[in-house]
Amino acid sequence: MENYALELRNITKTYPGVVALDKVSLGLKKGEVHALVGENGAGKSTLIKVISGAIAPDEGKIVVEGKEYERMTPALSKSLGIEVIYQEFNLIPNLSIAENMFMGDFIGGKMTVDFKKMEEKAAQVFEMMKIPMNPKTLVKDLSVAYMQMVEIAKAIVKNVKILIMDEPTAPLTEDEVDILLKLVEKLRKDGVTIIYVSHRMEEIYRISDRLSIFRDGQWIATHNTKEITRQKLVCEMVGREITEKFPERKNNSGEVVLEVKHLTGRGARDINFSLRKGEILGLGGLVGAGRTETARMIFGADPMESGQIIVHGKEVSIHSPKDAVSNGICLVPEDRKQQGVILSLPIRDNITLPIIKSVSKAGVVDTKTETQILEKHKNDLRIKTPSFAQKVGNLSGGNQQKVVLSKWLASDAEILIFDEPTRGIDVGAKQEIYSLMNKLVEEGKAIIMISSEMEELMGMSDRIIILYEGVQQGEIEREYFSQEAIMEKASNITR
Ligand SMILES: Nc1ncnc2c1ncn2[C@@H]1O[C@H](COP(=O)(O)OP(=O)(O)OP(=O)(O)O)[C@@H](O)[C@H]1O
Ligand SMILES: [Mg+2]
């Protein structure tokens, strides 16, 4: 029998109406990077929660270094060297890196904290990680990628043996992903076992030794990553044949519907562009380039200091999202948890709230029409849920994102701004979203899409505008799209 660092035997976990994990068995070899892949709602995060002790399985056993457990608790799993890095960071912004790293077990005497020693130890860890970082820096002054590094440093300080990362790169851009993956490679060399969850195929192929495929709570297969083609992997994940190609679309752009002139505010200055009917305009750049800030100003979510927004040739004044909506502009935000949905409300309310008037007759909600709309969205985007009464907070991460999207796809806005529309979305549903976006522009809508995924930006846009540190670096027409051209502008390299 294989000597596993961690083994799961017949793990089952059910929720009302959902079998989140169905007799799952899995072994992790010491020092391997093991990717968990599967569609949204397949059970990946649930499996991680069972390992970390955040939830107890209904049935099954967890075996760590040969010892059997009925369930983990957070304290027990930590004591066994298991650390999880969740998508939502557990860092305190106003404390230093060192203080965050030793949070919970400060170094020092009974009543004193030895800051110097903590800083020294933190510095040693960063040296080992080969990352230039000053332990005195406040966490709030770090970029998302470096906050991620602090989370990992925190795990290293605790002598991590099994490091679990649930979609660690979702908020990162390509070169930040590179920093992270190099670190993962280093940890593997040092003998750490790593569980890696991601929807980004390139990453899975670059980093994992083996991968396990899940579908509807069931374990489907485990492969040596080198031995399975991307095409076959995608098919096993979704259980049907699909291609990863971007759907065909002709450029059929019409008249200008939106013009932005000298738009200036927090995070972006002097932004100028126009958007045509039937067009998808890509907004590229690195994290912090000012893409989201630009979108939020157009949507009235953040104030603009100067500049003009012109809709159908007429200058409009937008001071709030309400003003934007009444001018036919909608924003699908990147941060679904804070801005997109109300987690404590059922799916039904979240999707139909913005269109409640159109599904009501004389003030009474026409439940038949409402249900038809809901069914359509559920099918179009493959939302996985036992019922529309399910609280959005109980859905898997990717399915929450799908609810955000449906909410806005149901609105009749003419200008749609999508900020990272497919973040955390599985490959199958990504295709559906791309097709829906194409359908929207074919129907005469205009779309601005912010994306950090180069493939997506190039695959979907008619034109791309690149921002760098809040300043527009120029525009690229579809026929001149290339990774190099975009990166050059995005990192402000001048030749
Ligand atoms: N607290 C809960 N209450 C009810 N159902 C839940 C709860 N937590 C998870 N589920 C359900 O369990 C299933 C598995 O969810 P899980 O979060 O593990 O999926 P996932 O593979 O991580 O998906 P994603 O890629 O979208 O993050 C989903 O159908 C989800 O709706
Ligand atoms: Mg998940």
Side-chain angles (χ1 to χ4, degrees):
M1 233 173 79
E2 190 85 47
N3 199 3
Y4 290 122
L6 182 135
E7 205 188 335
L8 300 167
R9 292 190 191 140
N10 273 313
I11 299 282
T12 295
K13 173 74 193 175
T14 53
Y15 290 107
V18 184
V19 185
L21 293 173
D22 190 359
K23 300 202 184 67
V24 169
S25 296
L26 191 68
L28 297 175
K29 294 182 189 169
K30 189 171 167 359
E32 75 170 338
V33 177
H34 196 119
L36 305 184
V37 298
E39 287 187 288
N40 297 128
K44 304 175 298 291
S45 296
T46 307
L47 192 74
I48 288 172
K49 287 180 192 150
V50 167
I51 299 173
S52 72
I55 57 172
D58 305 340
E59 264 174 67
K61 296 232 158 43
I62 304 149
V63 187
V64 187
E65 289 176 355
K67 205 163 171 248
E68 266 188 24
Y69 302 89
E70 295 280 329
R71 67 156 299 181
M72 285 286 139
T73 62
L76 177 58
S77 80
K78 273 185 187 301
S79 75
L80 293 167
I82 300 171
E83 293 286 337
V84 188
I85 295 172
Y86 293 100
Q87 239 181 281
E88 294 79 27
F89 297 132
N90 289 312
L91 298 172
I92 300 171
N94 284 318
L95 291 184
S96 73
I97 293 175
E99 285 162 327
N100 267 285
M101 279 170 66
F102 294 95
M103 185 56 57
D105 37 17
F106 277 147
I107 300 176
K110 257 203 184 106
M111 306 293 281
T112 56
V113 179
D114 191 340
F115 285 105
K116 199 151 173 272
K117 204 157 179 187
M118 288 196 316
E119 278 160 15
E120 272 169 25
K121 228 178 146 189
Q124 279 167 15
V125 172
F126 289 119
E127 209 179 291
M128 194 279 277
M129 288 165 76
K130 295 201 168 43
I131 290 172
M133 198 95 107
N134 180 353
K136 286 189 180 144
T137 309
L138 297 185
V139 162
K140 68 170 188 243
D141 296 328
L142 297 174
S143 73
V144 187
Y146 283 94
M147 287 188 193
Q148 189 89 266
M149 300 302 156
V150 175
E151 286 280 11
I152 296 172
K154 239 168 96 182
I156 292 175
V157 162
K158 295 193 181 118
N159 282 324
V160 62
K161 289 187 187 138
I162 298 171
L163 181 64
I164 304 177
M165 304 168 103
D166 196 352
E167 295 188 47
T169 56
L172 307 185
T173 50
E174 307 228 345
D175 52 344
E176 293 172 323
V177 169
D178 193 58
I179 304 176
L180 181 83
L181 294 186
K182 286 205 173 105
L183 181 57
V184 171
E185 271 158 16
K186 175 151 190 358
L187 291 173
R188 165 174 52 195
K189 271 203 201 105
D190 297 342
V192 179
T193 307
I194 293 156
I195 300 181
Y196 194 89
V197 179
S198 175
H199 288 291
R200 295 189 179 181
M201 292 293 152
E202 312 92 81
E203 261 167 54
I204 289 165
Y205 275 95
R206 174 166 158 198
I207 202 72
S208 71
D209 301 298
R210 294 197 302 156
L211 55 86
S212 291
I213 301 166
F214 291 83
R215 202 193 307 146
D216 295 332
Q218 289 177 331
W219 172 86
I220 302 293
T222 296
H223 299 278
N224 289 322
T225 308
K226 280 201 213 80
E227 288 162 13
I228 180 166
T229 63
R230 188 157 156 170
Q231 174 69 21
K232 186 146 182 289
L233 171 60
V234 169
C235 290
E236 281 192 15
M237 268 169 70
V238 300
R240 64 198 152 95
E241 287 278 337
I242 63 161
T243 60
E244 279 191 273
K245 290 225 176 69
F246 287 91
E248 278 291 323
R249 180 169 51 86
K250 306 191 283 293
N251 181 333
N252 43 8
S253 43
E255 79 267 14
V256 171
V257 289
L258 173 76
E259 276 172 280
V260 169
K261 288 190 177 162
H262 309 297
L263 182 70
T264 299
R266 196 179 57 85
R269 55 193 182 278
D270 199 16
I271 306 292
N272 294 281
F273 65 84
S274 60
L275 174 71
R276 294 176 176 278
K277 184 177 165 147
E279 179 183 52
I280 299 181
L281 175 69
L283 217 51
L286 306 177
V287 163
R291 299 167 303 167
T292 296
E293 287 79 359
T294 301
R296 286 176 58 85
M297 274 192 272
I298 298 171
F299 187 58
D302 284 338
M304 51 191 264
E305 282 157 20
S306 58
Q308 288 177 296
I309 296 173
I310 298 159
V311 177
H312 285 297
K314 247 178 60 197
E315 183 172 355
V316 295
S317 78
I318 293 177
H319 298 293
S320 68
K322 208 169 149 241
D323 293 342
V325 171
S326 65
N327 281 294
I329 303 173
C330 258
L331 170 71
V332 184
E334 68 175 330
D335 185 350
R336 58 185 175 243
K337 293 240 168 79
Q338 280 177 21
Q339 303 154 11
V341 287
I342 304 165
L343 296 177
S344 57
L345 283 184
I347 299 174
R348 174 183 292 278
D349 298 356
N350 268 292
I351 295 182
T352 46
L353 264 182
I355 52 159
I356 200 79
K357 270 205 198 105
S358 60
V359 294
S360 306
K361 278 182 201 140
V364 182
V365 176
D366 172 3
T367 45
K368 203 174 142 216
T369 313
E370 191 191 28
T371 306
Q372 275 170 0
I373 293 175
L374 289 167
E375 283 292 347
K376 184 175 176 320
H377 285 292
K378 184 179 169 193
N379 294 336
D380 280 352
L381 292 182
R382 306 168 64 79
I383 299 175
K384 190 170 166 6
T385 178
S387 91
F388 296 125
Q390 179 72 281
K391 282 192 191 118
V392 172
N394 286 342
L395 296 179
S396 77
N399 281 300
Q400 291 181 12
Q401 177 73 350
K402 291 179 188 176
V403 171
V404 178
L405 282 170
S406 342
K407 172 173 157 181
W408 294 116
L409 292 174
S411 91
D412 49 14
E414 191 186 5
I415 298 163
L416 293 158
I417 310 174
F418 291 105
D419 196 352
E420 305 283 2
T422 64
R423 175 176 290 172
I425 301 261
D426 64 57
V427 279
K430 263 187 182 174
Q431 298 299 315
E432 313 289 340
I433 289 168
Y434 297 147
S435 303
L436 275 168
M437 285 171 75
N438 280 348
K439 214 173 111 213
L440 289 170
V441 286
E442 268 156 34
E443 286 167 8
K445 300 197 179 203
I447 294 178
I448 299 174
M449 181 185 71
I450 299 175
S451 174
S452 295
E453 268 188 69
M454 196 75 82
E455 283 179 24
E456 177 171 283
L457 205 56
M458 296 200 292
M460 289 301 293
S461 315
D462 294 302
R463 279 183 299 144
I464 299 176
I465 287 175
I466 315 276
L467 303 188
Y468 174 80
E469 292 188 349
V471 180
Q472 197 167 336
Q473 299 298 307
E475 190 178 305
I476 309 175
E477 292 285 338
R478 188 171 180 93
E479 56 185 307
Y480 301 112
F481 283 178
S482 75
Q483 197 127 336
E484 295 73 43
I486 295 171
M487 274 320 286
E488 201 173 281
K489 286 196 164 50
S491 42
N492 197 21
I493 303 167
T494 40
R495 280 195 287 201

